[in-house]
Amino acid sequence: MALMALSCAREPFAVEESSSSESKAVNTFCAEAEGQFLVRVSDPDAIPESLNAERLFPSVKGKESIEKKYGLDQWFAVSVPEGMDINQLTEVLESESSIISYEFPDLLVRPYTKDNFKIAPSPSLSRIEPTTMNDPLFRNQWFLYNSGDKDLFGSTNVEGTDVNIRDAWTLTAGDPSVVVAVVDEGVKTTHPDLAANMWTNAKEIPGNGIDDDNNGYIDDVHGYNFAAKGAISWGLPGDEGHGTHVAGLVAAVNNNGIGVSSVAGGSGKGDGVRIMSCQIFSGSTRNDNVSVARAIKYAADNGASVLQCSFGLGTYYSDKAFAESLSAVKAAYDYFRDPANANCSAVDGNIVVISAGNSHNSKAEYPGAYRDYICVSAISQDNLPAWYTNYGDGVNIASPGGDNTLGLTMLSTVVSESDSAHSDYGFMHGTSMATPVVSGIAALGLSYAKKIGRHFSRDEFEAILLSSVNSLEPGLTGSKKTPSGTMDLARFKGKMGTGVIDAWKVLMNIEGVPFVTVKTGESVSVDLSEWFGSDASYLTMTGVEISDAAKSTLGITDNPTVSSGKLTIKCTKAGSAKITIGAIAGGNTAGSDSVMGGKTFSRTVSIVSRPNAGKSNGWL
C-alpha cells in the first residue's frame, strides 16, 4: 500500500563520494525535492539565517548530553526558500562551511500490508477452546490460539500455528507502565477496544492549544501527528486504518466482552500495556524522513519501551549505505535504543521491531534489515512462509502475518470511518501484521520481567526474544501455491530468522525455567542430563509432579514417567505447561532421621508441545 506518490524515480538513496575534502555528505535521491529537507551543521548556533531552519529534534531538559552524543542537536529541518530552486539551494549548502551534510526528504515511506480488508463476522460467544478472555472474536484469531480448525481457517490450517499466547496469559497479560509506540498511521484513540489502553500524557491538557509540558508538541495527549504537525487523525481520505489495526494486535483491550483479543492487552483489570500513537502517515499528507526521525525521538522521550515500525524506507546495499543515506533517522534510532533512555526498569535500553517487507525478496528492506533492530518475516496458518514475505539476509525472526490465499487472515481493530460498512474490526495481512505480534510479545516479556523482578541488558533481552521460537525447518520441503503459481519452500530453509516466536518460551526464558519442545501426538523420550547434570541416568528419580490443568492443556492421558535419566511423555494437544521432576543427590534413598541417604531436590521444567517440532529444544 503506497501512501505517497512521488514525482521522481523511486530509487535507493546513494551517498556521493568525492576526493575533495570540501565535498559534503549528501543523498541524491531526487533532483526535484519538495517540502522540508535536513541539514546537519557542525555548530548549531551557526546555521545560516537565510535558510529559515527549525530544529529537527526538540530538546528535552535533562537529556542534553544524550542528544549531543548522537548529534541530534546538529540537525535542522529546512524548507526551500521562496524564489529559490533546488540547484540554487544546493550551491548555498555547499558554500556554507558550517554544514556537514544534507538530506533531501523525497522518500517513499509506506506501511507493509496487503489489501485484504474484510468486515469481521458477527460477534459470537462460541469458542474453539476455553480461554481466560471473554472477547467474542477471539475464536477468529488463529495467530493467538490455533486448535487446527480447518472449517474456520481453511484446509491447510495446522494446529499450533500460533504464538502460544493462551498459556502465557496465565503468567501475565501486560503491564500499563510498559508503552509501545506505534509509528504508523494514526491510531483511533476513541476505538471501543483501544481507548482504555491508550497511553496518556498526564502533563498535557487536551484541546487547549497549548504545549503544557513544553516538549515542543501541542496537545499531544495520546501521541502526535508528525506528518500533519497536529492532532492524531485516522479517518481522512487516504487513511486505511493501518495504524489502528497494528495497535489492536499489540494491545486491544482483553476480557472486556467486546471485539478482539490481543497479545498484551491485559486481563480486563486495566493491566494492558499502553499504545502511544506516533503518526507518520496522515491521509494524503506528504510523508518523509523528517516525520520518522521526530516520531522516534518523541517515543524515547515520552516513555516508550518498544518501537513498533510496520514501514520501510527502501532497499540499500549495506548497513553502511543506510546509515549514511538516512543519518538523521539512524541517529534517532540510536538515541531510542541507548541505555540512558531506558523506559522500563526491567531492561537497559529500548527495543526496536521492524517489518521485513512484502516484496517476496530474498533480503529484508531497511530499516528492518539493519543489524541493531529486530526484523520480522511472516508465516501463514499453514505454518509455512507467507507467499509475499521477504526472507533471507536481514531477517531475524518469523511471526504470523496471514495469507489471503488460505482463508481468514489477521483480525484486529480498524477504523469504521474508513469502511463503508462502519465496522470496528477487519482483516489485513502482511509483515505489517507479523511485526506488532512480536512487538506485543516483547512488551509482554517486559511486563513479566517487571512482575518477577528480573533485569536484563538490552542485548540479553533481545537474545531471549530471538531464541524463544518454534522451528519452521521440518516443513520447508516441496512447494506452496501462491496467487501467481507456486513457490519452492526449500528456498526458505534457514532464511526465516531463528524461527516462529513463542510467547510462552519468552516468559520461560525470562523466568529462567528450561524447556523442551516435543512433537504433539508422539510418545517422546527426553534426556534429563541438561536439567540434572552431565549424566542423569545415574540419578535416582523420585517422580513427576504435574497438575490436572497442565494435563488438560497438553492433552496428557497417561502420567509422564522418569527412568534411567529420561522423561517419557506423550502430549496429544499443542500447548505449554510446567512439570516438576524430583531426584536424589547421593545414593538411592533419601536421607531421614533413621536412614543415611541423599538430598532430595527437584527441577521445574516446561514442556512445549508442537505438531511440527524441530530438533532444537530451544535452549537459551
Side-chain angles (χ1 to χ4, degrees), residues 159-232:
E159 179 189 5
T161 304
D162 55 43
V163 294
N164 209 4
I165 195 66
R166 191 183 60 151
D167 298 323
W169 282 336
T170 65
L171 301 176
T172 184
D175 184 314
S177 69
V178 176
V179 179
V180 178
V182 174
V183 186
D184 206 293
E185 282 188 2
V187 176
K188 183 176 179 178
T189 61
T190 59
H191 193 289
D193 230 356
L194 290 172
N197 277 351
M198 292 301 302
W199 168 80
T200 300
N201 182 357
K203 298 179 181 178
E204 196 75 15
I205 300 174
N208 68 354
I210 299 172
D211 180 11
D212 299 291
D213 58 358
N214 198 33
N215 69 350
Y217 301 101
I218 295 173
D219 289 340
D220 56 320
V221 179
H222 301 298
Y224 192 74
N225 185 337
F226 296 90
K229 297 183 180 180
I232 297 169

Coordinates of all heavy atoms in Angstrom, one line a residue, residues 159-232:
E159 N -2.7 -27.1 13.3 CA -2.8 -26.9 14.8 C -1.5 -26.4 15.3 O -0.4 -26.8 14.9 CB -3.1 -28.2 15.5 CG -3.2 -28.1 17.0 CD -3.4 -29.5 17.7 OE1 -3.3 -30.5 17.0 OE2 -3.5 -29.5 18.9
G160 N -1.6 -25.5 16.3 CA -0.4 -25.0 16.9 C 0.4 -23.9 16.1 O 1.4 -23.4 16.6
T161 N -0.2 -23.5 15.0 CA 0.4 -22.4 14.2 C -0.1 -21.1 14.9 O -1.1 -20.5 14.4 CB 0.0 -22.4 12.7 OG1 0.4 -23.7 12.2 CG2 0.7 -21.3 12.0
D162 N 0.5 -20.7 15.9 CA 0.1 -19.5 16.7 C 1.4 -19.1 17.5 O 2.4 -19.7 17.4 CB -1.1 -19.8 17.6 CG -0.9 -21.0 18.5 OD1 0.2 -21.1 19.1 OD2 -1.8 -21.8 18.7
V163 N 1.2 -18.1 18.4 CA 2.3 -17.6 19.2 C 2.2 -18.1 20.6 O 2.9 -17.6 21.5 CB 2.5 -16.1 19.1 CG1 2.8 -15.6 17.7 CG2 1.2 -15.4 19.6
N164 N 1.3 -19.1 20.9 CA 1.3 -19.7 22.2 C 1.0 -18.7 23.3 O 1.5 -18.8 24.4 CB 2.6 -20.5 22.5 CG 2.4 -21.7 23.4 OD1 1.3 -22.0 23.7 ND2 3.6 -22.3 23.7
I165 N 0.0 -17.9 23.0 CA -0.2 -16.8 24.0 C -1.2 -17.2 25.1 O -1.1 -16.7 26.2 CB -0.8 -15.5 23.2 CG1 -0.7 -14.3 24.1 CG2 -2.2 -15.8 22.8 CD1 0.6 -13.8 24.4
R166 N -2.1 -18.2 24.8 CA -3.1 -18.5 25.8 C -2.5 -19.0 27.1 O -2.9 -18.6 28.2 CB -4.0 -19.6 25.2 CG -5.2 -19.9 26.0 CD -6.1 -21.0 25.5 NE -5.3 -22.2 25.4 CZ -5.8 -23.4 25.5 NH1 -7.1 -23.6 25.6 NH2 -5.1 -24.5 25.4
D167 N -1.4 -19.8 27.0 CA -0.7 -20.3 28.2 C 0.1 -19.2 28.8 O 0.2 -19.1 30.0 CB 0.2 -21.5 27.8 CG -0.6 -22.7 27.3 OD1 -1.7 -22.9 27.7 OD2 -0.1 -23.3 26.4
A168 N 0.7 -18.3 28.0 CA 1.4 -17.2 28.5 C 0.6 -16.3 29.4 O 1.0 -15.7 30.4 CB 2.1 -16.4 27.4
W169 N -0.7 -16.1 29.0 CA -1.6 -15.2 29.7 C -1.8 -15.7 31.2 O -2.3 -14.9 32.0 CB -3.0 -15.2 29.1 CG -3.0 -14.3 27.9 CD1 -2.2 -13.2 27.6 CD2 -4.0 -14.4 26.8 NE1 -2.6 -12.6 26.4 CE2 -3.6 -13.3 25.9 CE3 -5.0 -15.2 26.5 CZ2 -4.4 -13.1 24.7 CZ3 -5.7 -15.0 25.3 CH2 -5.4 -13.9 24.5
T170 N -1.6 -17.0 31.5 CA -1.7 -17.4 32.9 C -0.6 -16.9 33.7 O -0.7 -16.9 35.0 CB -1.6 -19.0 32.9 OG1 -0.3 -19.4 32.5 CG2 -2.7 -19.6 32.0
L171 N 0.4 -16.3 33.1 CA 1.5 -15.7 33.9 C 1.5 -14.2 33.9 O 1.7 -13.5 34.9 CB 2.9 -16.2 33.3 CG 3.1 -17.7 33.3 CD1 4.4 -18.0 32.6 CD2 3.1 -18.2 34.7
T172 N 1.1 -13.6 32.8 CA 0.9 -12.2 32.7 C 0.2 -11.8 31.4 O 0.3 -12.6 30.4 CB 2.3 -11.4 32.7 OG1 2.0 -10.0 32.7 CG2 3.1 -11.7 31.4
A173 N -0.6 -10.8 31.4 CA -1.3 -10.3 30.2 C -0.9 -8.9 29.9 O -1.5 -8.3 29.0 CB -2.8 -10.4 30.4
G174 N 0.1 -8.3 30.6 CA 0.5 -7.0 30.3 C 0.8 -6.2 31.6 O 0.7 -6.7 32.7
D175 N 1.2 -4.9 31.4 CA 1.5 -4.0 32.5 C 1.4 -2.6 31.9 O 2.0 -2.2 30.9 CB 3.0 -4.2 33.0 CG 3.3 -3.4 34.2 OD1 3.0 -2.2 34.1 OD2 3.9 -3.9 35.1
P176 N 0.6 -1.8 32.5 CA 0.3 -0.4 32.0 C 1.5 0.5 32.0 O 1.5 1.5 31.3 CB -0.8 0.1 32.9 CG -0.8 -0.7 34.1 CD -0.3 -2.0 33.7
S177 N 2.5 0.2 32.7 CA 3.7 1.0 32.7 C 4.6 0.7 31.5 O 5.6 1.5 31.2 CB 4.6 0.8 34.0 OG 5.1 -0.5 34.0
V178 N 4.3 -0.3 30.7 CA 5.1 -0.7 29.5 C 4.3 0.0 28.3 O 3.2 -0.3 28.1 CB 5.2 -2.2 29.3 CG1 5.9 -2.5 28.0 CG2 5.9 -2.8 30.5
V179 N 5.1 0.8 27.6 CA 4.5 1.5 26.5 C 5.1 1.1 25.1 O 6.3 1.0 25.0 CB 4.7 3.0 26.7 CG1 4.1 3.8 25.5 CG2 4.1 3.5 28.0
V180 N 4.2 0.8 24.2 CA 4.6 0.5 22.8 C 4.2 1.7 21.9 O 3.1 2.1 21.8 CB 3.9 -0.8 22.3 CG1 4.3 -1.0 20.8 CG2 4.3 -1.9 23.2
A181 N 5.2 2.3 21.2 CA 5.0 3.4 20.3 C 4.7 2.8 18.9 O 5.5 2.1 18.3 CB 6.2 4.3 20.3
V182 N 3.5 3.1 18.4 CA 3.1 2.6 17.1 C 3.4 3.7 16.1 O 2.7 4.8 16.0 CB 1.6 2.3 17.0 CG1 1.2 1.9 15.6 CG2 1.4 1.1 18.0
V183 N 4.5 3.6 15.3 CA 5.0 4.6 14.3 C 4.3 4.2 13.0 O 4.8 3.3 12.3 CB 6.5 4.6 14.2 CG1 7.0 5.7 13.3 CG2 7.1 4.7 15.6
D184 N 3.3 4.9 12.6 CA 2.4 4.3 11.6 C 1.4 5.4 11.3 O 1.5 6.6 11.5 CB 1.7 3.1 12.1 CG 1.3 2.1 11.0 OD1 0.4 2.4 10.2 OD2 1.9 1.0 10.9
E185 N 0.2 5.0 10.6 CA -0.9 5.8 10.6 C -1.4 6.1 12.0 O -1.0 5.5 13.0 CB -2.1 5.2 9.8 CG -2.0 5.2 8.3 CD -3.2 4.7 7.7 OE1 -4.2 4.3 8.4 OE2 -3.2 4.6 6.4
G186 N -2.2 7.1 12.2 CA -2.8 7.4 13.5 C -3.6 6.3 14.0 O -4.4 5.7 13.3
V187 N -3.5 6.1 15.3 CA -4.3 5.1 16.0 C -5.6 5.8 16.4 O -5.6 6.9 16.9 CB -3.6 4.5 17.2 CG1 -4.5 3.6 18.0 CG2 -2.3 3.8 16.8
K188 N -6.8 5.1 16.1 CA -8.0 5.6 16.5 C -8.1 5.6 18.1 O -8.5 4.5 18.6 CB -9.2 4.9 15.9 CG -10.6 5.4 16.2 CD -11.7 4.7 15.5 CE -13.0 5.3 15.8 NZ -14.1 4.6 15.1
T189 N -7.9 6.7 18.7 CA -7.8 6.7 20.2 C -9.1 6.5 20.8 O -9.2 6.2 22.0 CB -7.2 8.1 20.6 OG1 -8.1 9.2 20.2 CG2 -5.8 8.3 20.0
T190 N -10.2 6.7 20.1 CA -11.6 6.5 20.7 C -12.2 5.2 20.4 O -13.3 4.9 20.7 CB -12.5 7.6 20.1 OG1 -12.6 7.5 18.7 CG2 -12.1 9.0 20.5
H191 N -11.4 4.3 19.7 CA -11.9 3.0 19.4 C -12.4 2.2 20.7 O -11.6 2.2 21.7 CB -10.8 2.1 18.7 CG -11.3 0.9 18.0 ND1 -11.8 -0.2 18.7 CD2 -11.5 0.6 16.7 CE1 -12.2 -1.1 17.9 NE2 -12.0 -0.7 16.6
P192 N -13.5 1.6 20.7 CA -14.0 1.0 21.9 C -13.1 -0.1 22.4 O -13.2 -0.4 23.6 CB -15.4 0.4 21.5 CG -15.4 0.4 20.0 CD -14.5 1.5 19.6
D193 N -12.3 -0.7 21.6 CA -11.4 -1.8 22.0 C -10.0 -1.3 22.2 O -9.1 -2.1 22.5 CB -11.4 -2.9 21.0 CG -11.7 -4.3 21.7 OD1 -11.8 -4.3 22.9 OD2 -11.8 -5.3 21.0
L194 N -9.7 0.0 22.1 CA -8.4 0.5 22.3 C -8.3 1.7 23.3 O -7.2 1.9 23.9 CB -7.8 1.1 20.9 CG -7.5 0.0 19.9 CD1 -7.2 0.7 18.5 CD2 -6.3 -0.8 20.3
A195 N -9.4 2.4 23.4 CA -9.4 3.7 24.2 C -8.8 3.5 25.6 O -7.9 4.3 26.1 CB -10.8 4.2 24.3
A196 N -9.1 2.4 26.3 CA -8.7 2.2 27.7 C -7.2 1.8 27.7 O -6.6 2.0 28.8 CB -9.5 1.1 28.3
N197 N -6.6 1.4 26.6 CA -5.2 1.1 26.6 C -4.3 2.1 25.9 O -3.2 1.8 25.6 CB -5.0 -0.3 26.0 CG -5.2 -1.5 27.0 OD1 -5.4 -1.2 28.2 ND2 -5.2 -2.7 26.5
M198 N -4.9 3.3 25.6 CA -4.0 4.3 25.0 C -3.1 5.0 26.1 O -3.6 5.2 27.2 CB -4.9 5.4 24.4 CG -5.7 4.9 23.1 SD -4.6 4.3 21.8 CE -3.6 5.7 21.4
W199 N -1.9 5.2 25.7 CA -1.0 6.0 26.5 C -1.5 7.4 26.7 O -2.1 8.0 25.7 CB 0.4 6.0 25.9 CG 1.3 7.0 26.6 CD1 2.0 6.8 27.7 CD2 1.7 8.3 26.1 NE1 2.8 8.0 28.0 CE2 2.6 8.9 27.0 CE3 1.3 9.0 24.9 CZ2 3.1 10.1 26.8 CZ3 1.8 10.3 24.7 CH2 2.7 10.8 25.6
T200 N -1.4 8.0 27.8 CA -1.9 9.3 28.1 C -0.8 10.2 28.7 O -0.2 9.8 29.6 CB -3.1 9.3 29.0 OG1 -4.2 8.6 28.4 CG2 -3.6 10.8 29.2
N201 N -0.6 11.3 28.0 CA 0.4 12.3 28.5 C -0.3 13.1 29.6 O -1.0 14.0 29.4 CB 0.9 13.2 27.4 CG 1.9 14.2 27.8 OD1 2.3 14.3 29.0 ND2 2.4 15.0 26.9
A202 N 0.0 12.7 30.9 CA -0.7 13.3 32.0 C -0.4 14.8 32.2 O -1.1 15.6 32.8 CB -0.3 12.6 33.3
K203 N 0.7 15.3 31.6 CA 1.1 16.7 31.7 C 0.5 17.6 30.7 O 0.7 18.8 30.7 CB 2.7 16.8 31.6 CG 3.4 16.0 32.7 CD 4.9 16.1 32.5 CE 5.7 15.4 33.6 NZ 7.1 15.4 33.4
E204 N -0.3 17.0 29.7 CA -0.9 17.8 28.7 C -2.4 17.9 28.9 O -3.0 16.9 29.2 CB -0.6 17.1 27.3 CG -0.8 18.0 26.1 CD 0.3 19.1 25.9 OE1 1.3 18.9 26.5 OE2 0.0 20.0 25.2
I205 N -2.9 19.1 28.8 CA -4.3 19.4 28.9 C -5.0 19.3 27.5 O -4.6 20.0 26.6 CB -4.6 20.8 29.5 CG1 -4.0 20.9 30.9 CG2 -6.1 21.1 29.6 CD1 -4.0 22.3 31.5
P206 N -5.9 18.4 27.3 CA -6.4 18.2 26.0 C -7.2 19.4 25.4 O -7.9 20.1 26.1 CB -7.5 17.0 26.2 CG -7.0 16.4 27.5 CD -6.5 17.4 28.3
G207 N -6.9 19.7 24.2 CA -7.6 20.7 23.4 C -7.5 22.1 23.7 O -8.2 22.9 23.2
N208 N -6.5 22.5 24.6 CA -6.4 23.9 24.9 C -5.4 24.7 24.0 O -5.2 25.9 24.2 CB -5.9 24.1 26.4 CG -4.5 23.6 26.6 OD1 -3.9 23.0 25.7 ND2 -4.0 23.8 27.8
G209 N -4.8 24.0 23.0 CA -4.0 24.6 22.1 C -2.6 25.1 22.6 O -2.0 26.0 22.1
I210 N -2.2 24.6 23.8 CA -1.0 25.0 24.5 C -0.1 23.8 24.7 O -0.6 22.7 25.0 CB -1.4 25.6 25.8 CG1 -2.2 26.8 25.6 CG2 -0.1 26.0 26.6 CD1 -2.8 27.4 27.0
D211 N 1.2 24.0 24.5 CA 2.2 23.0 24.8 C 2.4 23.0 26.3 O 3.4 23.5 26.8 CB 3.5 23.2 24.0 CG 4.5 22.2 24.3 OD1 4.2 21.2 24.9 OD2 5.7 22.4 23.9
D212 N 1.5 22.3 27.1 CA 1.5 22.4 28.5 C 2.8 21.9 29.2 O 3.3 22.4 30.2 CB 0.3 21.7 29.1 CG -1.0 22.3 28.6 OD1 -1.3 23.4 29.1 OD2 -1.7 21.6 27.8
D213 N 3.3 20.8 28.6 CA 4.5 20.2 29.2 C 5.8 20.7 28.5 O 6.9 20.2 28.9 CB 4.5 18.7 29.1 CG 4.3 18.2 27.7 OD1 4.2 19.0 26.7 OD2 4.3 16.9 27.5
N214 N 5.7 21.7 27.6 CA 6.8 22.3 27.0 C 7.8 21.3 26.3 O 9.0 21.4 26.4 CB 7.6 23.1 28.0 CG 8.5 24.2 27.4 OD1 8.2 24.7 26.3 ND2 9.7 24.4 28.1
N215 N 7.2 20.3 25.7 CA 8.1 19.3 25.0 C 8.2 19.6 23.5 O 8.7 18.7 22.7 CB 7.6 17.9 25.2 CG 6.2 17.6 24.6 OD1 5.6 18.5 24.1 ND2 5.8 16.4 24.6
G216 N 7.6 20.7 23.0 CA 7.7 21.0 21.6 C 6.4 20.6 20.8 O 6.4 20.9 19.6
Y217 N 5.5 20.0 21.4 CA 4.3 19.5 20.7 C 3.0 19.9 21.5 O 2.9 19.6 22.7 CB 4.4 18.0 20.6 CG 5.6 17.5 19.8 CD1 6.7 17.0 20.5 CD2 5.7 17.7 18.4 CE1 7.9 16.7 19.8 CE2 6.8 17.3 17.7 CZ 7.9 16.8 18.4 OH 9.1 16.4 17.8
I218 N 2.1 20.5 20.7 CA 0.8 21.0 21.3 C -0.2 19.9 21.4 O -0.4 19.2 20.4 CB 0.3 22.2 20.5 CG1 1.3 23.4 20.7 CG2 -1.1 22.6 21.0 CD1 1.0 24.5 19.8
D219 N -0.9 19.7 22.5 CA -2.0 18.8 22.7 C -1.6 17.3 22.3 O -2.4 16.6 21.7 CB -3.2 19.2 21.9 CG -3.9 20.5 22.4 OD1 -3.6 20.8 23.6 OD2 -4.6 21.2 21.7
D220 N -0.4 16.9 22.7 CA 0.0 15.5 22.4 C -0.5 14.7 23.6 O 0.3 14.2 24.3 CB 1.5 15.5 22.2 CG 2.3 16.0 23.3 OD1 1.9 17.1 23.9 OD2 3.3 15.4 23.7
V221 N -1.8 14.4 23.6 CA -2.4 13.7 24.8 C -2.1 12.2 24.7 O -1.7 11.5 25.6 CB -3.9 14.0 24.9 CG1 -4.5 13.2 26.0 CG2 -4.1 15.5 25.0
H222 N -2.3 11.6 23.5 CA -2.1 10.2 23.2 C -1.0 9.9 22.2 O -0.8 8.8 21.8 CB -3.4 9.5 22.8 CG -4.5 9.7 23.7 ND1 -4.5 9.1 25.0 CD2 -5.7 10.3 23.6 CE1 -5.6 9.4 25.6 NE2 -6.4 10.1 24.8
G223 N -0.2 11.0 21.9 CA 0.8 10.9 20.9 C 0.7 12.2 20.0 O 0.2 13.2 20.5
Y224 N 1.2 12.1 18.8 CA 1.3 13.3 18.0 C 1.3 12.9 16.5 O 1.8 11.8 16.1 CB 2.5 14.1 18.3 CG 2.5 15.5 17.7 CD1 1.7 16.5 18.2 CD2 3.3 15.8 16.6 CE1 1.8 17.8 17.7 CE2 3.4 17.0 16.1 CZ 2.6 18.0 16.6 OH 2.6 19.3 16.1
N225 N 0.7 13.8 15.7 CA 0.7 13.6 14.2 C 1.9 14.3 13.6 O 1.9 15.6 13.4 CB -0.6 14.1 13.6 CG -0.7 13.9 12.1 OD1 0.3 13.7 11.4 ND2 -2.0 13.9 11.7
F226 N 3.0 13.6 13.4 CA 4.2 14.3 12.9 C 4.2 14.6 11.4 O 4.9 15.4 10.9 CB 5.4 13.3 13.2 CG 5.6 13.1 14.7 CD1 5.0 12.1 15.3 CD2 6.4 14.0 15.4 CE1 5.2 11.9 16.7 CE2 6.6 13.9 16.8 CZ 6.0 12.8 17.4
A227 N 3.3 13.9 10.7 CA 3.1 14.2 9.3 C 2.4 15.5 9.0 O 2.8 16.4 8.2 CB 2.4 13.1 8.6
A228 N 1.3 15.8 9.8 CA 0.5 17.0 9.6 C 0.8 18.0 10.7 O 0.2 19.1 10.6 CB -1.0 16.6 9.6
K229 N 1.7 17.7 11.6 CA 2.1 18.6 12.7 C 0.8 19.0 13.5 O 0.5 20.2 13.5 CB 2.8 19.8 12.2 CG 4.2 19.4 11.5 CD 4.9 20.7 11.1 CE 6.2 20.3 10.4 NZ 7.0 21.5 10.0
G230 N 0.2 18.1 14.1 CA -1.0 18.4 14.9 C -1.6 17.2 15.5 O -0.9 16.3 15.9
A231 N -2.9 17.3 15.7 CA -3.7 16.2 16.4 C -3.6 14.9 15.6 O -3.6 14.9 14.4 CB -5.1 16.7 16.6
I232 N -3.7 13.8 16.3 CA -3.8 12.5 15.7 C -5.1 12.4 14.9 O -6.1 12.8 15.4 CB -3.7 11.4 16.8 CG1 -2.4 11.4 17.6 CG2 -3.9 10.0 16.2 CD1 -2.4 10.6 18.8

